[in-house]
Amino acid sequence: PERHAGMGQKGGEIGGRPALVVPARLEELLIAVLTLIAPPIRRSAGERATIATATGRLTRKIVSRIGFTELAFFARTGRGDLEPLAVGRPAWRVLTEADAWLELGPRCEGHAEGSTITATAMPWVPTASDGA
């Protein structure tokens, strides 16, 4: 059996081959894909298109822990507002209902109810250019 980078191998290699070690939990893997993996792949593929976003007012405040980078997930309401679904480690139900996400950096304490924010659309949510 091959050993992973934390067990004496060079960082970023498994069995002498380049490797990317990803989280075991599927929801954490999705977060890694959204924030770490997809952006450089899009850039290296020459994609210059603007990433789809969702702008709206928060229906409730969101709170983030200082010193941590967390993601907040939102559902779009009928009025175009953004309803916070979760911050941090989302449940699968949240991921199925989410229309957009926002990265909250380590210095961000959150956003107040009624604040207007711009979040990144989830990749599977149709955009106006998709005919929705």
Side-chain angles (χ1 to χ4, degrees):
E2 295 186 18
R3 298 164 55 153
H4 65 75
M7 298 178 67
Q9 296 290 327
K10 292 182 182 178
E13 290 184 0
I14 296 177
R17 294 191 177 122
L20 176 63
V21 180
V22 296
R25 292 176 49 119
L26 290 176
E27 67 275 15
E28 291 175 353
L29 175 58
L30 173 64
I31 290 168
V33 168
L34 291 173
T35 60
L36 301 173
I37 299 170
I41 289 173
R42 281 194 301 267
R43 281 193 301 276
S44 67
E47 183 176 307
R48 301 279 188 246
T50 304
I51 303 299
T53 60
T55 300
R57 291 170 33 102
L58 290 177
T59 60
R60 291 176 312 182
K61 72 178 181 180
I62 55 173
V63 178
S64 180
R65 296 180 294 165
I66 296 293
F68 293 88
T69 296
E70 297 183 296
L71 296 189
F73 295 89
F74 306 94
R76 184 74 90 178
T77 68
R79 295 180 11 187
D81 296 330
L82 294 173
E83 174 72 27
L85 298 174
V87 174
R89 294 176 82 177
W92 272 106
R93 177 195 58 78
V94 167
L95 296 174
T96 64
E97 295 174 2
D99 295 318
W101 61 277
L102 178 67
E103 185 175 329
L104 304 169
R107 294 185 178 191
C108 181
E109 295 181 41
H111 296 281
E113 179 179 342
S115 298
T116 299
I117 63 164
T118 299
T120 303
M122 296 299 268
W124 52 83
V125 174
T127 61
S129 63
D130 295 331

